[in-house]
């Protein structure tokens, strides 16, 4: 590895952060949820923008549903934006376009059913025009006509658009299934809290059931509470929405005509890791931990909320670019994706990477497709061969009793 003096770098971590701690959706509900959070901004009370009803996500005829997670693109102004923390031999000609090319390579290699962008999609303070940067950042997914969704990070709203405006812009882009906020929640903190349902194989007995549920939450940017420094966190209003949504989905799944004994597995995506990510050491996780755990300086209890709900089997975040591990805590896998973008801080010689998750269905006695039997993951490196590493089983129906 080259000496540090010859490496293109920046002041590490979350650049410019000097904190001391590191659809249109048809309303069918008869009862509207009323949430009463503390310190909810006036912006959070505004009605979400209208959008086209997105296509339904469902498992393919091969019985699989594959998700590509892209964390921390830090996109700015395209070819004029230099790469950071790369080897001297990589500097010339390296830009945001390398990030776009990596997405294209991943799409071609993995052919995902769905792409999730987990925040810091753009780095606002380096982007001349946030809207143009967002368009360019998501362009490979849009061009591939693959359904995709995004959540916000702490840097998305630091440019010419506020966090609220960024999320509204994302919701208006093609092929996105992102939502501004749930229509049934009158008051909720943040922008981009929503859930998506993944149906069974078309023509199967579970075609009209959500056999895999996906939660997306806004983990905020920075604390706005006097006396509490550091990053943001998932607020009580968001947790109340999650609890109501999880309970509703579980009731539906365990009701006729396909009565199930337990809830459908669920995955949760947001940007800033929970404090519980710090619970692991090298003996009990798969992957690498080279960064500190830059969670909020307070624990808002969302891990316990998910544990009590019982359906979330894995959580996926970004934020700490040099962490790419998964570790299981009390039955929930806590996973980083690892840094993806070339204008994001990294480590020279340590490849940018992406996480892939595949949920697989079981075969029924009659030979058709049933419910989810397993959830697996691996990562791919942006090297010559898109090397796959750290394959592991995150959850298995056969061991579900151990994951409650």
């Amino acid at each position: 590895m080259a000496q540090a003096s010859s490496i293109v770098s920046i002041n590490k971590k979350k650049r410019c952060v000097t904190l001391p701690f590191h659809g249109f959706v048809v309303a069918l509900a008869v009862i509207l949820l009323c949430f009463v959070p503390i310190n909810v901004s006036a912006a959070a009370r505004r009605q979400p923008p209208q959008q086209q009803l997105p296509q339904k996500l469902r498992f393919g005829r091969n019985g699989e549903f594959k998700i590509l997670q892209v964390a921390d693109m830090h996109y700015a102004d395209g070819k004029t934006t230099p790469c950071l923390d790369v080897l001297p031999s990589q500097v010339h000609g390296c830009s945001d376009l390398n990030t776009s090319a990596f997405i294209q390579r991943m799409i071609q290699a993995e052919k995902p059913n769905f792409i999730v962008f987990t925040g810091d999609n753009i780095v606002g303070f380096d982007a001349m025009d946030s809207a143009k940067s967002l368009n360019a950042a998501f362009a490979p997914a849009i061009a591939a006509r693959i359904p995709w969704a995004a959540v916000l990070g702490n840097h998305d709203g630091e440019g010419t658009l506020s966090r609220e405006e960024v999320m509204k812009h994302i919701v208006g882009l093609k092929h996105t299934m992102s939502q501004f906020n749930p229509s049934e929640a009158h008051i909720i903190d943040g922008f981009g809290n929503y859930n998506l349902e993944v149906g069974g194989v078309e023509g199967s007995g579970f075609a009209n059931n959500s056999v895999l549920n996906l939660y997306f939450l806004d983990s905020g940017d920075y604390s706005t509470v006097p006396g509490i420094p550091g990053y943001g966190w998932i607020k009580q209003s968001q947790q109340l929405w999650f609890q109501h949504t999880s309970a509703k989905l579980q009731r539906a799944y365990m009701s006729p005509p396909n009565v199930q004994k337990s809830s459908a597995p669920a995955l949760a995506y947001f940007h800033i890791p929970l404090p519980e990510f710090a619970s692991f050491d090298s003996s009990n996780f798969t992957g690498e931990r080279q960064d500190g755990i830059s969670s909020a300086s307070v624990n808002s209890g969302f891990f316990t909320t998910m544990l009590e709900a019982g359906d979330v089997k894995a959580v996926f975040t970004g934020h700490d670019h040099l962490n790419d591990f998964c570790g299981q805590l009390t039955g929930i896998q806590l996973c980083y994706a690892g840094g993806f973008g070339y204008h994001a801080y990294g480590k020279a010689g340590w490849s940018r990477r992406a996480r892939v998750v595949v949920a697989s269905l079981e075969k029924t006695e009659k030979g058709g497709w049933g419910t989810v039997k397993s959830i697996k993951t691996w990562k791919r490196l942006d090297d010559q061969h898109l090397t796959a590493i750290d394959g592991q089983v995150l959850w298995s129906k056969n061991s579900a009793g151990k994951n409650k």
Side-chain angles (χ1 to χ4, degrees):
M1 182 178 295
Q3 293 182 352
S5 60
S6 64
I7 295 172
V8 177
S9 184
I10 59 170
N11 293 329
K12 301 289 184 179
K13 289 309 298 172
K14 310 299 179 290
R15 307 175 62 208
C16 294
V17 176
T18 58
L19 300 169
F21 293 92
H22 285 72
F24 174 71
V25 177
V26 182
L28 297 177
V30 177
I31 300 175
L32 295 176
L33 304 179
C34 294
F35 303 142
V36 187
I38 298 173
N39 295 329
V40 178
S41 67
R45 295 179 171 86
R46 298 172 189 168
Q47 290 295 318
Q50 293 186 349
Q51 65 183 110
Q52 285 188 332
L53 187 66
Q55 66 188 87
K56 182 176 178 60
L57 296 175
R58 66 172 60 256
F59 280 73
R61 295 196 176 277
N62 62 349
E64 292 185 347
F65 186 79
K66 182 182 289 187
I67 303 171
L68 168 62
Q69 181 189 359
V70 175
D72 297 273
M73 287 189 291
H74 280 233
Y75 206 96
D77 292 327
K79 65 181 180 180
T80 62
T81 300
C83 296
L84 303 174
D85 296 332
V86 296
L87 295 170
S89 60
Q90 297 174 295
V91 172
H92 182 71
C94 191
S95 71
D96 279 337
L97 301 187
N98 291 63
T99 301
S100 299
F102 186 20
I103 299 177
Q104 292 165 346
R105 293 183 73 200
M106 287 297 302
I107 289 173
Q108 183 177 6
E110 291 288 359
K111 297 177 175 57
N113 302 98
F114 187 54
I115 303 174
V116 180
F117 298 90
T118 50
D120 283 2
N121 308 296
I122 64 171
V123 57
F125 52 74
D126 280 348
M128 294 183 63
D129 185 319
S130 291
K132 290 182 179 179
S133 295
L134 289 165
N135 294 345
F138 299 123
I142 294 171
R145 299 177 177 271
I146 296 174
W148 60 276
V151 294
L152 300 182
N154 52 295
H155 288 317
D156 290 292
E158 295 176 339
T160 57
L161 297 178
S162 67
R163 298 182 85 248
E164 178 182 4
E165 291 169 330
V166 168
M167 199 66 215
K168 286 182 176 179
H169 186 86
I170 289 172
V171 166
L173 295 176
K174 290 182 178 179
H175 308 301
T176 190
M177 302 190 76
S178 307
Q179 297 173 32
F180 182 78
N181 265 333
S183 59
E184 71 272 17
H186 286 169
I187 299 174
I188 190 168
D189 286 274
F191 311 101
N193 303 285
Y194 55 102
N195 70 288
L196 295 173
E197 303 176 13
V198 186
V201 175
E202 190 169 8
S204 73
F206 291 89
N208 296 320
N209 294 82
S210 179
V211 295
L212 178 69
N213 294 308
L214 307 176
Y215 299 108
F216 305 87
L217 295 104
D218 181 6
S219 53
D221 49 6
Y222 308 102
S223 171
T224 58
V225 180
I228 300 179
Y231 293 107
W233 58 86
I234 295 172
K235 306 295 199 310
Q236 186 64 24
S237 63
Q238 298 165 281
Q239 296 186 47
L240 286 170
W241 164 78
F242 166 81
Q243 289 173 315
H244 281 280
T245 304
S246 173
K248 179 182 67 175
L249 291 168
Q250 292 189 52
R251 284 194 301 270
Y253 192 66
M254 293 185 276
S255 298
N258 294 318
V259 179
Q260 301 298 303
K261 295 180 180 180
S262 61
S263 60
L267 310 175
Y269 290 89
F270 45 90
H271 182 69
I272 298 175
L274 302 173
E276 284 80 5
F277 274 70
S279 302
F280 308 106
D281 56 42
S282 58
S283 68
N284 58 4
F285 66 71
T286 300
E288 295 188 57
R289 176 178 173 177
Q290 303 177 94
D291 265 341
I293 308 300
S294 301
S295 58
S297 59
V298 296
N299 192 329
S300 68
F302 187 53
F303 181 83
T304 301
T305 297
M306 289 189 292
L307 197 61
E308 291 173 343
D311 57 343
V312 174
K313 308 307 177 187
V315 171
F316 302 95
T317 68
H319 194 53
D320 299 319
H321 307 177
L322 299 181
N323 293 340
D324 71 351
F325 66 81
C326 280
Q328 187 184 83
L329 182 64
T330 325
I332 299 178
Q333 295 278 356
L334 302 179
C335 298
Y336 281 104
F340 190 100
Y342 278 86
H343 187 55
Y345 82 84
K347 180 180 178 181
W350 198 71
S351 299
R352 265 60 176 188
R353 57 204 58 211
R355 181 171 291 281
V356 179
V357 172
V358 174
S360 301
L361 301 177
E362 62 185 356
K363 280 283 191 177
T364 64
E365 293 180 357
K366 297 182 179 180
W369 293 113
T371 58
V372 177
K373 70 173 181 180
S374 68
I375 301 172
K376 300 177 182 178
T377 188
W378 59 88
K379 300 184 293 284
R380 281 193 184 268
L381 309 181
D382 192 21
D383 58 16
Q384 182 179 355
H385 304 290
L386 278 180
T387 304
I389 62 171
D390 295 338
Q392 64 183 118
V393 177
L394 295 177
W395 177 83
S396 172
K397 190 173 185 178
N398 294 333
S399 59
K402 302 176 183 179
N403 292 278
K404 293 182 179 178

